[in-house]
Amino acid sequence: MATNLKIELLNSKGKKETFKEDFVPAIKVIKALDLIEESGGDKMLKEIDQNMVDFVVDIFSDEKVTSEAVWNGLNALDFNETLLDIVYKVAGVDPKKMQAMETE
């Protein structure tokens, strides 16, 4: 059963807004898998982060979910975890299994 994707962003007025997406085209799985592979490569971290932000913006159809909104609306302490959760969910990958594979 499909579930919704959601992201919570702090808006310019300091209030949290939740954005939901209930349909993600299956073709996005390929990009999500590319991002997962890319995160283990030798690209610069800022490039990887920007690619994940771009991916998230592309996933959500609400025009308020922009690159700027994501960069300014996510807490830096949860930034990577939030983005990776969305990427893993779209890819259909269990993050716990990914972490176990990375530690082996």
Side-chain angles (χ1 to χ4, degrees):
M1 182 175 165
T3 58
N4 292 343
L5 282 180
K6 70 177 183 174
I7 190 168
E8 192 173 73
L9 302 174
L10 200 62
N11 67 23
S12 61
K13 296 178 182 173
K15 298 196 180 210
K16 289 184 179 179
E17 284 189 77
T18 301
F19 301 93
K20 296 179 182 178
E21 192 64 42
D22 61 355
F23 178 79
V24 178
I27 192 70
K28 300 296 184 187
V29 172
I30 294 169
K31 179 62 178 171
L33 292 170
D34 287 344
L35 285 171
I36 292 168
E37 287 180 14
E38 177 180 291
S39 67
D42 59 355
K43 285 192 174 185
M44 298 286 292
L45 292 177
K46 67 181 181 180
E47 184 179 351
I48 293 169
D49 285 348
Q50 184 61 55
N51 289 344
M52 285 197 297
V53 168
D54 293 343
F55 177 77
V56 168
V57 169
D58 190 44
I59 291 295
F60 286 88
S61 59
D62 192 308
E63 292 179 3
K64 292 181 187 176
V65 181
T66 64
S67 183
E68 182 179 355
V70 173
W71 281 112
N72 290 322
L74 286 178
N75 185 330
L77 303 176
D78 302 322
F79 178 79
N80 284 315
E81 182 181 344
T82 300
L83 296 182
L84 282 171
D85 284 348
I86 292 170
V87 171
Y88 286 149
K89 194 169 196 176
V90 171
V93 173
D94 182 347
K96 291 177 185 172
K97 288 182 181 178
M98 286 298 297
Q99 289 174 348
M101 288 172 47
E102 290 173 0
T103 57
E104 290 178 356

